[in-house]
Amino acid sequence: MQNNKMRGVLAEFLGRMPRLFRWHWLVLMALICSAGAQADEIPSRVAVQAYVKAEGDRLNLLMRVPMDALLEAQFPLRGEIGYVIFSQARGAMEDAAYNQLLQSIQMFEGDRLLENPRLDAVRISLPSNRNFVDYPTAMQAVQSAPLDDSVDLYYRQGFLDVLASYPIESEDSRFSIDARLGGLGLETTTVLRYVLDDGAERSFSYIGNPGRVYLDPRWYQATFNFIALGFDHILEGTDHLLFLFCLIIPLRRIRALIPVVTSFTIAHSITLIASALGWVPSAIWFPALIESLIALSIVYMAFENIIGVRQQHRWIVTFGFGLIHGFGFSFLLTESMQFAGSHLLASLLAFNIGVELGQILVLLIAVPVVHLLFKYVLPERAGVILLSAILAHWAWHWMEERFAGFFAYQLNMPALDRYFFVGVLQWLALLALSLAVLWGMRGFFSRFVDAGDKQEMGESRIVG
């Protein structure tokens, strides 16, 4: 009864519309419904497992992909529920492997693109199958006999196991992969393992499409990648940019900027290296604490700009906050060190170089802009107060949200075991190193600060 009434209303509505608009409206509604239905089918999270190993003149790629991510696959089904008919599913499995997986993957031997992959085996596995724990077991699983048709498996609950191989010139070559599988789900996590000749594995875990991943990178490849990573991180890190902006608002002369920016660079380099060495707490609340303190550093620097504190000791305060920002940089670096291969030190230094290049670019752009703003738009003192107040207001909300997230953790007293005392010794070593560097910088930077103070006094006398 209700459906008939709705159909009548819809027919009356369409009858009153001009014919041209009627067809446009129907097409639009069809597209919206189709897009909505397709969006509902896309899985929210997809986990892909993969192995890569060179054997003889072939480079093997072994994958396990959830079948609910293969939306275009047309598996033969039986029953109202939709159980897979395994004996008739070979063609559908091969189509899904080629069209939805292998076409989205590029393999390289050196800089040469490997083409014409050969599909060696495909198989559907049950969701309870746990045979992808290592390369030999996974290889045995994908090459085993298909499931019997008597097995009831709903077509969106199993796994598609795929074995493909690429022709190579030598198994001793260096390989890389560009797997664009991020579209399989709203969030696609790929766990990739590169199996070496001795059976050891080099693991990679990433979300989405990370671009070209060098499975055994040369030192210059790792260096270039980590320079780009550090450069992008400083430009994408809004909180780090705001902190730099707070530094340059009252200091726009090169002589005044050198000690401040240099102390910030040296400080975050110290904690960045310490983090790479594992000298950081492993507690889950530590990143939340650091992010909260980073927001606090912006608020403090902004308020210092507003009240007009003299700048002769600002580089010391900046050094302290730079130690905190270094931990913030390290969180990204820790996740990315998997792409460094055996070049951990070179990658660490390259990341730091990328961060510094990003800082230099920010300074080259921001300093002239602020200078022109204070020269033609706002009086300098009023401009410093106004811009600092805006940054303080912005960062204050960040600080409230982040501290709320930090205090949501259950903070317990640590166990007084050997791990605790080793951590204490590492923190004392880090503190001693920071104080030693700070003492060494004091004599060097005092010349810049004294010269800057004399220049400011001279300018004030001229103005007076």
Side-chain angles (χ1 to χ4, degrees):
M1 182 71 178
Q2 185 70 20
N3 292 336
N4 293 334
K5 184 177 180 180
M6 291 298 297
R7 292 192 190 100
V9 173
L10 181 59
E12 182 180 357
F13 172 72
L14 292 175
R16 294 180 178 179
M17 294 178 63
R19 178 171 298 180
L20 178 62
F21 293 105
R22 187 187 312 167
W23 283 108
H24 286 180
W25 188 85
L26 288 173
V27 171
L28 177 62
M29 290 301 297
L31 291 175
I32 293 175
C33 293
S34 175
Q38 185 177 5
D40 292 339
E41 294 178 355
I42 298 176
S44 58
R45 293 185 178 181
V46 173
V48 177
Q49 300 181 63
Y51 291 92
V52 174
K53 183 179 181 181
E55 293 183 320
D57 60 349
R58 309 293 296 184
L59 180 66
N60 291 334
L61 173 62
L62 185 57
M63 292 186 293
R64 166 166 285 186
V65 181
M67 292 174 62
D68 63 344
L70 306 174
L71 300 179
E72 300 177 5
Q74 300 294 327
F75 295 103
L77 307 176
R78 59 180 174 84
E80 296 181 359
I81 295 179
Y83 295 135
V84 179
I85 306 176
F86 301 102
S87 61
Q88 303 175 14
R90 178 77 183 187
M93 289 189 293
E94 292 180 350
D95 289 341
Y98 272 119
N99 299 328
Q100 299 188 57
L101 299 178
L102 296 182
Q103 287 189 0
S104 302
I105 298 174
Q106 290 183 327
M107 302 292 299
F108 297 87
E109 182 179 12
D111 292 327
R112 182 175 67 90
L113 176 64
L114 300 178
E115 298 178 334
N116 301 322
R118 184 181 69 197
L119 188 60
D120 296 322
V122 287
R123 185 181 186 274
I124 295 177
S125 297
L126 296 174
S128 59
N129 187 293
R130 296 293 182 267
N131 290 335
F132 255 65
V133 293
D134 54 50
Y135 180 78
T137 307
M139 181 66 74
Q140 182 179 1
V142 73
Q143 293 177 335
S144 59
L147 296 172
D148 190 81
D149 287 342
S150 61
V151 177
D152 294 335
L153 175 65
Y154 177 57
Y155 76 101
R156 297 195 66 174
Q157 290 184 343
F159 295 111
L160 180 64
D161 297 340
V162 178
L163 172 61
S165 62
Y166 299 78
I168 58 176
E169 296 179 356
S170 172
E171 61 180 4
D172 297 327
S173 302
R174 295 178 183 263
F175 304 100
S176 58
I177 181 173
D178 187 358
R180 303 182 182 275
L181 303 176
L184 294 177
L186 299 180
E187 180 179 289
T188 302
T189 301
T190 301
V191 178
L192 172 66
R193 297 178 178 91
Y194 176 53
V195 184
L196 304 176
D197 293 337
D198 57 0
E201 295 181 356
R202 181 169 295 160
S203 297
F204 305 86
S205 179
Y206 52 83
I207 297 176
N209 303 324
R212 188 172 174 180
V213 175
Y214 293 91
L215 303 178
D216 187 17
R218 299 184 184 274
W219 69 268
Y220 59 84
Q221 293 171 333
T223 299
F224 176 79
N225 286 342
F226 276 83
I227 288 177
L229 183 66
F231 185 82
D232 293 338
H233 181 59
I234 192 66
L235 297 183
E236 295 174 356
T238 307
D239 42 8
H240 301 303
L241 292 179
L242 292 187
F243 183 81
L244 286 175
F245 199 50
C246 282
L247 294 181
I248 66 175
I249 288 177
L251 304 175
R252 295 175 307 282
R253 299 180 182 86
I254 297 299
R255 183 175 292 273
L257 281 173
I258 286 178
V260 173
V261 175
T262 304
S263 65
F264 179 70
T265 298
I266 295 176
H268 73 64
S269 300
I270 292 175
T271 48
L272 190 60
I273 296 174
S275 299
L277 296 176
W279 291 10
V280 295
S282 58
I284 59 175
W285 50 260
F286 184 67
L289 175 62
I290 293 300
E291 295 298 328
S292 303
L293 294 178
I294 288 175
L296 175 62
S297 69
I298 301 172
V299 173
Y300 176 87
M301 285 298 183
F303 275 108
E304 189 177 78
N305 292 342
I306 293 173
I307 64 177
V309 176
R310 293 180 61 85
Q311 306 299 328
Q312 64 268 24
H313 299 301
R314 184 156 197 168
W315 68 271
I316 300 177
V317 178
T318 304
F319 182 87
F321 284 131
L323 296 174
I324 297 173
H325 281 254
F327 286 121
F329 291 140
S330 70
F331 298 145
L332 173 68
L333 181 62
T334 301
E335 298 176 357
S336 302
M337 289 305 289
Q338 58 182 325
F339 303 113
S342 58
H343 312 290
L344 300 180
L345 180 59
S347 300
L348 175 63
L349 297 176
F351 181 85
N352 208 34
I353 291 174
V355 170
E356 306 318 316
L357 292 176
Q359 288 183 177
I360 292 174
L361 177 63
V362 172
L363 294 176
L364 291 176
I365 296 175
V367 171
V369 169
V370 174
H371 179 75
L372 294 175
L373 179 66
F374 291 167
K375 184 176 181 180
Y376 296 105
V377 180
L378 291 172
E380 180 171 351
R381 183 57 189 153
V384 169
I385 295 175
L386 178 61
L387 293 180
S388 299
I390 294 174
L391 297 181
H393 176 75
W394 197 346
W396 183 271
H397 292 290
W398 284 355
M399 185 178 65
E400 287 183 329
E401 295 175 0
R402 295 177 181 181
F403 269 115
F406 166 69
F407 287 113
Y409 289 99
Q410 186 176 359
L411 304 178
N412 299 320
M413 289 295 296
L416 300 180
D417 51 15
R418 65 186 184 91
Y419 298 103
F420 171 78
F421 290 106
V422 168
V424 170
L425 291 177
Q426 290 174 342
W427 277 96
L428 291 176
L430 179 61
L431 178 61
L433 175 62
S434 301
L435 292 176
V437 172
L438 188 64
W439 180 81
M441 292 164 51
R442 186 179 184 87
F444 178 75
F445 287 153
S446 61
R447 294 178 297 173
F448 289 92
V449 174
D450 294 341
D453 290 342
K454 293 178 181 179
Q455 183 177 0
E456 291 181 0
M457 292 178 59
E459 291 177 354
S460 61
R461 290 174 183 173
I462 293 175
V463 173

